[in-house]
Structure formats: structure tokens, C-alpha cells
Amino acid sequence: MVIVFAVLALAVLVAANWYLWRRLFRDTTSGPGWGRRVGAVVVAGGWLLAIGALVGERTGAPFWLQQTLAWPGFLWLALSIYLLLGVVAGEVVRPLLRRFLERRDRRNAPVAAVAVPQPEPVPAGPAPEEPAEPASPRLLAAPSRRLFVSRVVGGAAAAAAVGTVGYGTYGVLRGPRVKRVTVPLAKLPRAAHGFRIAVVSDIHLGPVLGRGFAQKVVDTINSTQPDLVAVVGDLVDGSVKDLGPAAAPLSQLKAPAYFVTGNHEYFSGAAQWVEEVRRLGLLPLENARTELRHFDLAGVNDIAGESEGQGPDFGKALGDRDTTRACVLLAHQPVQIHDAVEHGVDLQLSGHTHGGQLWPGNLIAEAANPTVAGLERYGGTQLYVSRGAGAWGPPTRVGAPSDITVIELASRQA
């Protein structure tokens, strides 16, 4: 079954890229030549770089090689999505533009002349020169019209895709914006009213986003002056050896900071990263709970830890707590909300979805997660899902801007 699915996925990928090459390069050139060859190199080479970047990251290739492949490879992933969407949308525009040109040409076509008997030519003497007739409007023959339409539609699709990816990449690299949300908790005492938790998830330090990006995240968090920082997983995409220096700015967090693992930590050596964040001054909550002055703060491991025997254990983290106290849970994936409800958690803080990251990826994220972004209630438990501070793969976001959320807890007694 897995082989059949892989073959089908490969067939779809090849067909989509052949269609992309056809619309952008074959249909916009008058015949075989360097233009079509360049197009084939761009499409095929872009995917080779993208696959190389993905494989290099997951297999722990030399970090310099990951960095070399990551920028062009991951950006091609994003660009190919919007190029494909652009040329598909162009199928609607194409016949409309063709009909417009046909009507224009019919209006500009010269009127046929009426046949008039001509006098016999005079043989003697040179023929007098006749004044030249004014040029008629230039008409496009059918092949030229098709080529013109293909170039207009293809050029517009390419420009829209490049602009979309460029702006989405700029949005990530400039750093996350601060979002503020007030969450009332019934069990929260009056004295804790206004307590602020800075929630940051999915920073994804790696071959693209490095130390400079981590510094922006830390500076943004510190500027909000929170009472507590919650790092809810997917901090890194790589080993401590390669990314330890990139994560070093986390030691500058001014408020008490807590950390739980995400699925990407288990691709990158979770045990080593738990120790590294502890060294940087963060407190990992590995299926554990700490009793703060006014409420309990708990954390569970990510579901991906089950492959290493380190999966989430809600009983260990929450089983023996005083249920009269409010409880805030850090859990990377929103799907963990159902266990949180069973254990009487008041508020779960999660990430993982990136809000879809690249539209229309939000449709896929909605199918796989109970909440993609924002605050929702499930029974007696509220769930807040951050879109995340960074990006995985392409350093690009479209329709899902990055954020750091300041959760302000509100007491109903206040």
C-alpha cells in the first residue's frame, strides 16, 4: 500500500511539473531552443535541490551542505506551489483574452474592396508612381495570438508567484509580531488576574533560520515583559552540535521560561536538546508539573516521542494534582486537547500547525487538527494554538503570519 501511494504521489508530482514547464516555457516559445532547455533545467534542478535539502536535513548531512541546499531548495518548494496555482488560474483568463484579441482583430480588419474595371495599360513610357496606401492595423494570426496569450498569462503567473513568495519570505525574516489574547479562567484567584504568559512555538532554528533570527525572537519576547515564557516545541531542526550557537540567545530571556518538546526535537536528538535548553536556563517539563504561586503549570512530551518510549504521559504530569487549582498545560500538538479535557486542564497552549504556513495549506491543517490557530473551547478546557514564530522548510508564510502570543490570564473573581 505504501509503495502504491508513493508511486501515485510521484506520478502526480511529475505530471504537475510537466504541466508547469509546458505552460511557462513550451507554450511561451515559438519552437525548440534555449528557452525550453533553460525551463527544463529550472524545473528539474529546483526539485533536485528541494529533495536534497529535505534529505540532507533529515539524515544529518554536513551542516555546510544543508545550508547550501536549504535556501534555493526550500524557496523552490514555495515558488513551485504558487507558480502552479498561477498557471491553473491562468486557464480561466486564457480563453477570455483570446476572445478579446479575436474581436479586436475583427474590428480592425480592412474592408474588402469592390472590383472595378481597369483601363488597358499604356505601353509607352514609364508607369507613374502611385502614392503608398496607409498601413492597416496589424492583425495577429492565430499562431501569433496563441503565443501572445501564453506569454501574457505565463508572465503574470510568474510575477504573481515571485511577488507572493518574496513578500511571504520577508514577513518571516523580519521576525514575528506580538499578538495579545485575554483568557479568563474560572479557578484563577484574584491575585493572579493579569498574569502574562508569552507563548512561542515552532521557531525552527536550522540551516535557514539561525542565531540572528533567535535573537529577534528573544528580543521580541523580552519587550513584552511577560511573567512567564512558554516554549511549546519545535525549537530546532538539527543537532546541538550544529545549532547550539544558534539557540544561545535563549539564555537572555528575562522571565522564567519553560520548555516542552515538539515532533521536530525527536528528529534532532530530543534528549540532547532537553539538556541544552536546561543549560540555557529554561526548565524542561517532561511529563511533569510545577506548582506556581497561583496555578499549576504542566507539560507533556510530544506524540513523536512514543517512537523512543518518551511519549506524552498525562497521568504522570497531572494525575495527583489538586483539582481546585487552575492548571495550564504546555503540549505541542493541538490533538492532545482530548487528553487534557479528560484530566481537567483549564488551558492548553500549543503550536505545531503554523496556521497552515502556506495558503491553501490551512485546509490540510484544518483536516488534521482540532484547531489551526487561535482560542477555542473543548468542554471545560480552552485551547490556544499559536501560528508559531518561524517556519519549517521554506522560510515563507502566506496567509498565516508568524506570531508570539502574550496570553493574559483573567480571574473571574476580579
Side-chain angles (χ1 to χ4, degrees):
M1 186 65 183
V2 175
I3 295 176
V4 172
F5 178 78
V7 170
L8 287 174
L10 181 62
V12 170
L13 184 64
V14 170
N17 282 279
W18 176 83
Y19 167 69
L20 192 65
W21 172 83
R22 175 186 168 184
R23 282 307 195 200
L24 290 181
F25 297 99
R26 197 194 75 171
D27 292 353
T28 57
T29 51
S30 55
W34 65 269
R36 296 184 183 183
R37 290 193 289 271
V38 168
V41 170
V42 168
V43 175
W47 277 102
L48 286 175
L49 288 170
I51 293 170
L54 290 167
V55 172
E57 180 185 290
R58 288 301 173 88
T59 59
F63 196 59
W64 65 266
L65 180 59
Q66 293 185 47
Q67 291 177 305
T68 301
L69 296 173
W71 271 104
F74 287 142
L75 282 177
W76 172 255
L77 278 178
L79 187 61
S80 63
I81 291 171
Y82 293 104
L83 284 172
L84 185 60
L85 291 173
V87 296
V88 169
E91 299 298 346
V92 177
V93 178
R94 191 180 298 272
L96 299 177
L97 182 56
R98 244 191 333 255
R99 282 198 290 271
F100 168 78
L101 292 174
E102 289 169 357
R103 285 197 298 268
R104 186 202 66 176
D105 288 350
R106 281 196 296 269
R107 286 196 304 269
N108 294 335
V111 179
V114 178
V116 177
Q118 298 295 321
E120 292 294 330
V122 179
E129 293 185 2
E130 296 183 2
E133 294 183 1
S136 60
R138 185 170 178 268
L139 306 181
L140 289 174
S144 299
R145 190 182 299 122
R146 286 195 298 270
L147 185 62
F148 177 77
V149 169
S150 293
R151 287 176 174 174
V152 169
V153 174
V162 170
T164 298
V165 172
Y167 184 74
T169 302
Y170 165 74
V172 170
L173 297 183
R174 95 188 148 191
R177 292 296 183 256
V178 175
K179 184 178 180 181
R180 299 180 185 273
V181 178
T182 299
V183 180
L185 298 181
K187 299 177 186 176
L188 191 73
R190 181 190 297 268
H193 184 75
F195 190 94
R196 290 173 298 172
I197 303 174
V199 182
V200 58
S201 73
D202 303 280
I203 300 174
H204 286 288
L205 301 177
V208 174
L209 302 177
R211 185 184 180 112
F213 184 76
Q215 188 67 60
K216 288 181 182 178
V217 170
V218 168
D219 290 344
T220 301
I221 293 172
N222 286 338
S223 70
T224 67
Q225 299 181 324
D227 299 299
L228 183 150
V229 179
V231 183
V232 288
D234 281 6
L235 171 64
V236 292
D237 285 306
S239 66
V240 172
K241 173 187 173 185
D242 292 331
L243 295 174
L250 291 174
S251 65
Q252 302 170 22
L253 289 171
K254 296 178 180 179
Y258 296 83
F259 170 82
V260 292
T261 55
N263 55 309
H264 282 249
E265 270 72 58
Y266 292 97
F267 306 147
S268 308
Q272 292 183 359
W273 275 110
V274 166
E275 291 308 311
E276 180 66 11
V277 298
R278 194 191 307 275
R279 188 186 69 80
L280 293 172
L282 285 74
L283 178 63
L285 292 174
E286 298 182 277
N287 297 324
R289 180 181 76 257
T290 181
E291 295 183 358
L292 303 180
R293 183 178 179 186
H294 299 297
F295 61 93
D296 292 345
L297 182 70
V300 291
N301 295 347
D302 186 71
I303 298 168
E306 292 174 351
S307 62
E308 301 179 11
Q310 299 293 326
D313 189 335
F314 284 81
K316 182 179 177 182
L318 301 165
D320 59 346
R321 75 180 190 88
D322 180 358
T323 56
T324 64
R325 287 168 56 88
C327 180
V328 176
L329 174 70
L330 311 184
H332 178 63
Q333 298 197 36
V335 294
Q336 295 172 286
I337 184 62
H338 306 297
D339 291 297
V341 172
E342 289 181 7
H343 287 83
V345 169
D346 297 280
L347 172 64
Q348 176 178 314
L349 303 176
S350 298
H352 183 63
T353 68
H354 297 204
Q357 186 167 328
L358 296 171
W359 182 91
N362 59 301
L363 302 178
I364 300 173
E366 286 172 2
N369 296 277
T371 298
V372 173
L375 182 68
E376 290 190 9
R377 177 177 288 277
Y378 294 84
T381 304
Q382 296 181 83
L383 168 65
Y384 181 79
V385 181
S386 168
R387 290 191 180 97
W392 177 77
T396 309
R397 285 175 172 265
V398 177
S402 57
D403 67 62
I404 292 169
T405 304
V406 177
I407 297 286
E408 184 171 321
L409 302 181
S411 171
R412 294 191 184 278
Q413 304 171 27

